[in-house]
Amino acid sequence: MYEGYIVGIFPRNDSLIDTWKKWERGTVDDGVFREVLDEALDYVVRNQVVVGLSYVHDPQIDWHDMFRPFTELENVSAGPLTRFFENNTFFRKPVIRDVVEYEKGFINSYVHRDKMPKGRRWIVTLPGPYTFYRLSEYRDGDTGRKSIVNMVSGAMDDLLREGYEFIVLAEPALAYYSDVDWDIVSGFYKPLRETGLKYRIHLYFGDVKDRISRLMEIAPYGFSIDTSYTSLEELEGLDLDTLVLGVVDAQNTLMENVDDTVNKIRSLREKLGCRNIAITNNTDFDYLPYEVAEAKLMLLSEVLRRLGA
Amino acid sequence: MKIPILPTQEIGSYRKPDYLINLWKRYMAGEGVEEELNKAIEEASIETIKLLEDVGLDIVWDGEMHRWEMYYHPVTYIKGIQFVGQVRVFDNRYFIKGSVRNEPKLVKNYHLEEYLFIKERASKPVKLPITGPYTIADWSFNEYYIWRWKKQEKDPRKIRYNAKRDLTIALAENVINPILKELSRHGVFRIQIDEPAATTHPDEMEIFVEAFNKAVEGVDTTITTHICYSDYSILLPYMNQMKTVQFALEFANRDTWEKGLDDDKRRGYHFLKELSEYSYEGEIGLGVIDVHTNKVEPVELIMDRIEYALKYIPAEKLFINPDCGLRTRSRDIAAEKLRNMVEATKKIREKYGFEN
């Protein structure tokens, strides 16, 4: 079976960027800002339905970065601007001062459940615990780990109860760093597996071909491969229930060739023992201008259609 | 031109006066105000040169009045790169990013008129900052070379690396090198190549160095470089390979505000110790002003930062500057910061018996 969906933060359109600036300067009021934001949110949701993606992803266009909602909780704050891996994009480093307790229902005001279409399956992306841990500052490791478990599992529990089908956990740190501490990773994921909360791990910014067996242990519902880093040829023989392929490059405006992409996926499927293959963008579309992200979303849906999904 | 020991200099951008910002915005929005904009640029340029000379800098320029910003300006004059839209830098801050759709070629030397205008009006030596090839490449979408490499290579890592190399070298050879050669023929005192992206991809350092050296090949003037907010330990092994006499680096941003000369108080400057143990013998542009805060560094604190640096870098190799361009501060606050920097430097010269 083939599935297709988008992951991560979707870019803001020019009108929203401009209105947001004016709202920050106080030259437009809350009502105008809300109207422009609502329109942009509705459009991104509607677009995913129209093009026939398998899941509708919460647009998250009002998130400044993947950690920002969580820095509103007590004992954690938005720290210095910090480069996000190797990009010309910066996030506010979460600074954890003491153990952070998740407040039930906290995350619900940062997603857009009211905009998600009835009769469709919804998903949303949260920071994966290891990436959250690697990119945060904390008093000590134990405080950091406890806080992150509380925040991520608390938010996942809320969102799954709200009707989201599964949570995409963004874990670029698991793909990027050569010195991943797998004991810490297991410490995060073993209890998460035991809760039965449904998630897929999304990996990007690195080649994971040598980490597959470890990823299989921590991701029972599937994980992704960023095909701009890992060659599909190197995945042959892989035996998984669900493999997610980040086939649409969200870091380049070059449009993928649909025929080539379809042929590569079909050919890979024949050589794999995977029951399900899902196709996505390799990383957040937020690295692209809005119009290009829209075109790439269309391209993803076209590949999905051609695969016969 | 003669400059004193411990020369003071600005790094790059200075906040534009409001009248110029408004005209730039209208111009960017396509309002057809080119004539008014050019007049305002000249006016602001003269004002800023005077301001920087009045605060007492030894090396001056006009603070980027001729440019919208350091990426948009060069790309406007490079054939083969097309602007495609806004991409987030952080929060709700965006920059207009270009896609490389063909081999980059220089349309026009986008710094020549600017330099000639400034040279004519400055009474002190002029340093001209120019965005380097690696940073332009890194901040662009690389469509053309990825597309070319995909036709002959299957390994995605090799495709990305080779495409980045080809683009960066093309920018160095086709765009930056001819600009530098022409400027050097007009007698520019110093050219500073800005490469804030230099250490962003540690596995691409060879590309960065190769492109830098190709950009300055055959250029007959003094070349310096500015790098900031980076992990300098990545840069260290490559510093001697680069054809530059100076690295102007940001330090104050990572330092404390406490006065004193001990390692703990001056923790933002520890790299200098590492550097002194290495065989680098070139100049260092010492960032002593944090450009991200309105708090003005006291003269005594700046003196401590300079004195700490003098433990590791000989005075004749040390230049004094802010961490980076001051465009994020108001013109008044930036001037106040620079005044204190100049005063602190003069006091250090007196203390060590150097001529002011």
Side-chain angles (χ1 to χ4, degrees), chain B residues 85-108:
Chain B
Q86 301 191 78
V87 174
R88 182 173 4 215
V89 182
F90 67 94
D91 293 3
N92 195 52
R93 304 289 188 276
Y94 288 74
F95 81 111
I96 302 170
K97 188 163 174 172
S99 276
V100 180
R101 302 252 162 96
N102 212 325
E103 184 184 348
K105 297 266 175 66
L106 182 61
V107 176
K108 176 190 169 187

Side-chain angles (χ1 to χ4, degrees), chain B residues 257 289-290 293-299 301-302 305 332-341:
Chain B
W257 283 70
I289 298 291
D290 184 353
T293 174
N294 284 338
K295 197 171 159 187
V296 177
E297 289 78 1
V299 171
L301 174 65
I302 302 171
R305 288 174 174 169
D332 288 346
I333 285 176
E336 209 179 323
K337 281 174 173 268
L338 289 176
R339 260 184 224 107
N340 281 7
M341 184 180 91

Side-chain angles (χ1 to χ4, degrees), chain A residues 160-212:
Chain A
L160 293 168
R161 280 176 200 275
E162 285 290 301
Y164 287 84
E165 180 85 8
F166 64 85
I167 308 300
V168 178
L169 291 177
E171 284 283 25
L174 285 178
Y176 177 82
Y177 292 113
S178 55
D179 62 346
V180 171
D181 185 332
W182 290 97
D183 288 338
I184 291 178
V185 176
S186 296
F188 282 127
Y189 279 96
K190 198 163 171 262
L192 210 52
R193 274 188 76 152
E194 285 164 5
T195 60
L197 297 171
K198 200 171 169 189
Y199 61 90
R200 289 182 184 174
I201 298 182
H202 204 72
L203 300 141
Y204 46 92
F205 299 156
D207 183 1
V208 295
K209 71 171 189 303
D210 297 330
R211 302 172 184 198
I212 302 259

Side-chain angles (χ1 to χ4, degrees), chain B residues 15-57:
Chain B
R15 189 172 176 81
K16 296 174 176 69
D18 288 346
Y19 64 83
L20 181 58
I21 293 175
N22 292 335
L23 278 165
W24 263 115
K25 280 184 182 166
R26 288 176 62 194
Y27 173 76
M28 300 289 285
E31 283 190 34
V33 289
E34 202 168 346
E35 205 174 312
E36 285 166 86
L37 175 67
N38 286 335
K39 274 187 196 157
I41 285 172
E42 293 189 355
E43 190 183 333
S45 177
I46 292 166
E47 269 176 38
T48 310
I49 295 165
K50 186 169 180 331
L51 185 152
L52 296 178
E53 291 190 337
D54 287 350
V55 299
L57 294 184

